[in-house]
Amino acid sequence: MMHQWNIWQPDERQLQAITALSEQLDISLPAARMLVHHNILTAEQARTYIRPSLDELHDPFLMKDMDKAVARLDMAIRNHERIMVYGDYDVDGTTATALMYTFLQTLTDNLTYYIPERETEGYGISYQGVDTAQQDGCTLIIALDCGIKEHDKARYAAQRGISMIICDHHTPDDTIPQCDAVLNMKRADCPYPFKDLSGCGVGFKLVQAYAMTHQIDKERWIALLPYLAMSIVSDVVSMVDENRILTHFGLKQINSAPPVGIQAIIEVAKLQSKQISVHDLLFQFGPRINSSGRMRSGKEAVQLLIATDLQQARQLANNINDYNGERRQYEQQATQQALEMLAADPMNDSRHSTVIYSPGWHKGVVGIVASRLTENYYRPTIVLTSEDGETVSGSARSVSDFDIYSAIDSCRDLLTAFGGHLFAAGLSMPYNRLEEFKRRFEEYVAAHISPRQTVPVIDVEQEIELSDITNRFYQILRCIEPFGPGNPQPLFVTRNVINNRYTKRCGENGEHLHLDLTDRQVAISGIAFRQGDKALHIQNGNPVDVCYELNQETFRNVTSIKMMVKDIHL
């Protein structure tokens, strides 16, 4: 699908800042423009921005109910109560569980953790999980990355003498569950200044608050930041404010002294020879951790993350690596089937949304399939499956800034459960309501989506020449990391480049494109995923315009700057 390139145009004040920064920092105008685009307008701001500090983190006690949560946790530890750390089965939930469990292990040995099974229990706190807590003698559940809508489960736990602290970041209803403490900065009555923590991030604020209250050395929670960095990147929360600081120090810890389980992931992903980056967390770590919950059990991911024996961790890492390969096979098969189903539907092209169902798809890959279909058709998409033919469930993905959570919420009377964010959500319903849901969801999307939201747009920072891509330029780029929503990886456009020598198709089925391009003065190589069909055009000497980000690659001890091409205009 052809994307529209929206190239940033600085205003007069920004143009003046670009010129001033270039002179003050002795950097090129394109490098200075990159800083100004990230709202770094002065030399002093540049110096502060490139040196994040943990002292800039917000006071955790600004979060509503934090005092209650710390007091209840302290009482449980002092009274030797048995505590269950309860997480979700995705990256955010499993890293949150690992972070909390690892911290509490140093304070009590009366501890267990629980991850629900995706297939049988579904998302969130389950009655089975509460029953397990009761059978295990637990009197406190700390729920992480889930719980904000679990009114019934909170009451069910309380009736069995089990207290609950909820640490969640999902959008709450008008009322919140009745339990000992509900930590969620999105509560209407919560004054916490940063509203976009991950679920693991909310759990971390409880750890930070407890450590502050009991004068526990800061190094104890700094060692936990690798888990938090993984959650922030994989859950695609904004990379600003606290999240940028926490990810910066989490990556620093991963590259200097990673936990044993993370070291095993680095080995199985063959990343030992490089500095781990946000890109690695997103595309190497996240899919492997997720595959455990998707294909087997999220418990195994937690087992890996909290491991202290490297040999055991290596075995667990090999397991999740195998699950990831299995997940890719299921995903490719389901995506192909879904594309064929949509192509055969005569009404497909006239719709504003996609809601597609097949009972044969693996529940663990429907979210990825939804993302693939969104890329292909660029419209709000829901992919659903069923195990018993009676209940259907699945995942939703959105486009641009269209609020898919609100679209699903408009059909809540048809659903048995749903939850999520602006851009992604999960839901379930009885099979006999599926057709009505499709109709109403399509009506809502058609009435609320704007023409602007139906065109795939890539926001480009600037047009540059290949000669602008120097080592100095790349070092300036690295200074504004880590990248993510709100602090996007700079995307560049270079026009009228041609094949240098070695452009060719690559990948198992030739679906990707290895590029070797030149502007007739400077050459650079790179990769373009799922764009192998453009190989022949470029090999024949035709000029193209490319939109790309820049990364470094080390091969045989030689490090070079490479393109990661996002789009090609022929």
Side-chain angles (χ1 to χ4, degrees):
M1 177 175 286
M2 181 75 75
H3 290 74
Q4 178 181 315
W5 296 347
N6 178 31
I7 301 176
W8 176 63
Q9 299 298 326
D11 59 26
E12 188 60 37
R13 181 179 69 97
Q14 291 165 327
L15 285 170
Q16 293 173 0
I18 290 168
T19 302
L21 272 181
S22 175
E23 294 172 354
Q24 293 165 9
L25 299 178
D26 190 26
I27 58 177
S28 68
L29 286 170
R33 180 181 171 120
M34 187 161 51
L35 293 176
V36 171
H37 187 231
H38 284 73
N39 206 33
I40 302 166
L41 304 178
T42 67
E44 182 56 36
Q45 285 178 340
R47 282 187 279 269
T48 302
Y49 193 83
I50 66 177
R51 296 184 181 88
S53 170
L54 290 170
D55 294 335
E56 299 172 48
L57 297 179
H58 303 302
D59 180 355
F61 285 98
L62 293 174
M63 193 173 290
K64 178 75 174 176
D65 277 6
M66 185 61 78
D67 53 344
K68 296 178 183 177
V70 170
R72 182 64 186 91
L73 177 58
D74 188 42
M75 183 174 77
I77 291 171
R78 283 188 290 104
N79 293 339
H80 305 288
E81 295 180 54
R82 189 154 179 80
I83 301 170
M84 172 181 280
V85 180
Y86 192 115
D88 188 29
Y89 40 66
D90 66 2
V91 178
D92 195 12
T94 52
T95 54
T97 303
L99 182 147
M100 184 64 67
Y101 186 87
T102 301
F103 177 73
L104 292 180
Q105 258 191 324
T106 65
L107 304 173
T108 177
D109 57 4
N110 210 358
L111 189 65
T112 186
Y113 68 86
Y114 189 89
I115 302 291
E117 297 297 331
R118 178 189 289 265
E119 300 293 333
T120 56
E121 295 172 79
Y123 168 78
I125 301 170
S126 68
Y127 291 113
Q128 183 177 328
V130 176
D131 289 342
T132 301
Q134 183 182 24
Q135 292 159 12
D136 202 20
C138 297
T139 52
L140 173 63
I141 292 175
I142 303 176
L144 298 150
D145 190 36
C146 59
I148 196 61
K149 293 177 179 288
E150 307 285 7
H151 301 266
D152 293 344
K153 312 303 175 16
R155 283 193 293 269
Y156 186 77
Q159 290 165 2
R160 281 147 185 78
I162 302 171
S163 300
M164 190 177 289
I165 297 171
I166 291 173
C167 304
D168 202 356
H169 71 133
H170 294 97
T171 305
D173 289 329
D174 293 337
T175 59
I176 60 171
Q178 294 299 305
C179 57
D180 288 59
V182 178
L183 305 179
N184 186 326
M185 60 282 157
K186 292 175 183 170
R187 287 178 57 168
D189 57 353
C190 181
Y192 196 75
F194 183 54
K195 302 297 185 182
D196 206 22
L197 292 168
S198 64
C200 185
V202 179
F204 166 75
K205 299 308 291 190
L206 174 55
V207 166
Q208 186 189 14
Y210 191 91
M212 288 170 57
T213 302
H214 295 276
Q215 291 80 51
I216 295 173
D217 187 59
K218 185 188 286 188
E219 295 302 316
R220 286 259 293 279
W221 56 256
I222 289 177
L224 305 173
L225 295 183
Y227 304 123
L228 192 45
M230 289 170 63
S231 86
I232 291 168
V233 171
S234 295
D235 221 49
V236 202
V237 289
S238 60
M239 194 62 75
V240 298
D241 204 288
E242 284 190 303
N243 284 343
R244 180 174 179 269
I245 297 167
L246 294 165
T247 304
H248 171 87
F249 285 98
L251 281 168
K252 190 174 180 180
Q253 192 76 12
I254 288 172
N255 284 300
S256 60
V260 168
I262 292 178
Q263 175 61 40
I265 299 173
I266 292 171
E267 291 179 9
V268 80
K270 297 180 172 56
L271 299 173
Q272 301 98 312
S273 62
K274 64 167 295 194
Q275 284 284 108
I276 304 302
S277 67
V278 163
H279 187 270
D280 297 317
L281 296 185
L282 187 59
F283 293 105
Q284 300 289 342
F285 285 56
R288 286 176 166 85
I289 293 296
N290 259 334
S291 67
S292 181
R294 291 183 192 279
M295 308 311 298
R296 294 293 188 279
S297 170
K299 293 185 179 73
E300 197 163 353
V302 176
Q303 193 179 355
L304 167 62
L305 292 172
I306 66 175
T308 55
D309 177 77
L310 186 55
Q311 286 305 115
Q312 181 202 23
R314 283 171 172 156
Q315 181 57 57
L316 290 165
N318 281 323
N319 290 349
I320 67 168
N321 199 51
D322 291 342
Y323 305 155
N324 194 42
E326 187 180 344
R327 184 269 309 166
R328 279 199 300 266
Q329 291 179 345
Y330 278 110
E331 170 210 324
Q332 291 166 1
Q333 183 181 44
T335 300
Q336 186 59 39
Q337 290 173 353
L339 288 170
E340 291 170 358
M341 289 167 64
L342 291 172
D345 181 355
M347 300 299 293
N348 181 55
D349 290 342
S350 63
R351 292 197 182 96
H352 297 83
S353 68
T354 297
V355 181
I356 189 166
Y357 164 77
S358 172
W361 293 333
H362 194 290
K363 191 176 179 181
V365 303
V366 291
I368 306 169
V369 176
S371 295
R372 296 283 180 261
L373 297 184
T374 303
E375 291 171 9
N376 197 77
Y377 287 101
Y378 204 72
R379 60 196 188 198
T381 298
I382 299 177
V383 178
L384 299 161
T385 188
S386 176
E387 292 180 326
D388 56 13
E390 295 180 5
T391 299
V392 300
S393 61
S395 294
R397 297 292 183 270
S398 195
V399 296
S400 188
D401 55 353
F402 182 79
D403 186 351
I404 202 165
Y405 180 87
S406 294
I408 295 170
D409 185 52
S410 72
C411 308
R412 65 158 55 209
D413 58 298
L414 301 173
L415 306 175
T416 50
F418 76 102
H421 310 289
L422 181 70
F423 299 120
L427 66 160
S428 62
M429 73 190 86
Y431 175 77
N432 59 15
R433 296 179 184 173
L434 177 57
E435 290 306 315
E436 176 67 6
F437 176 84
K438 285 182 180 181
R439 185 187 65 78
R440 283 175 48 185
F441 183 78
E442 168 66 16
E443 283 182 358
Y444 182 97
V445 174
H448 292 83
I449 199 164
S450 68
R452 176 183 58 81
Q453 292 170 317
T454 63
V455 179
V457 175
I458 296 178
D459 289 320
V460 177
E461 183 165 288
Q462 57 180 308
E463 283 189 42
I464 61 174
E465 304 295 328
L466 294 185
S467 57
D468 292 322
I469 305 171
T470 63
N471 287 331
R472 173 76 165 149
F473 179 83
Y474 187 75
Q475 289 309 312
I476 299 295
L477 184 153
R478 291 293 303 271
C479 287
I480 50 181
E481 291 180 335
F483 299 121
N487 187 46
Q489 170 110 21
L491 288 175
F492 308 103
V493 162
T494 300
R495 300 192 186 275
N496 198 33
V497 293
I498 59 173
N499 182 35
N500 186 37
R501 282 184 291 182
Y502 303 119
T503 294
K504 61 182 179 181
R505 298 183 80 136
C506 59
E508 288 182 16
N509 302 304
E511 67 271 33
H512 308 313
L513 182 60
H514 175 272
L515 289 161
D516 179 28
L517 300 174
T518 179
D519 59 2
R520 300 163 186 81
Q521 293 182 349
V522 177
I524 189 169
S525 61
I527 186 79
F529 292 112
R530 295 192 293 279
Q531 297 187 63
D533 59 327
K534 299 182 175 73
L536 188 60
H537 180 91
I538 298 171
Q539 288 167 346
N540 286 339
N542 297 298
V544 295
D545 300 339
V546 289
C547 174
Y548 56 93
E549 62 185 51
L550 293 171
N551 291 302
Q552 264 187 343
E553 183 180 285
T554 300
F555 181 68
R556 293 178 180 170
N557 297 321
V558 176
T559 299
S560 56
I561 301 171
K562 302 287 187 181
M563 285 179 168
M564 181 73 72
V565 176
K566 300 298 183 182
D567 197 28
I568 300 173
H569 285 185
L570 304 181

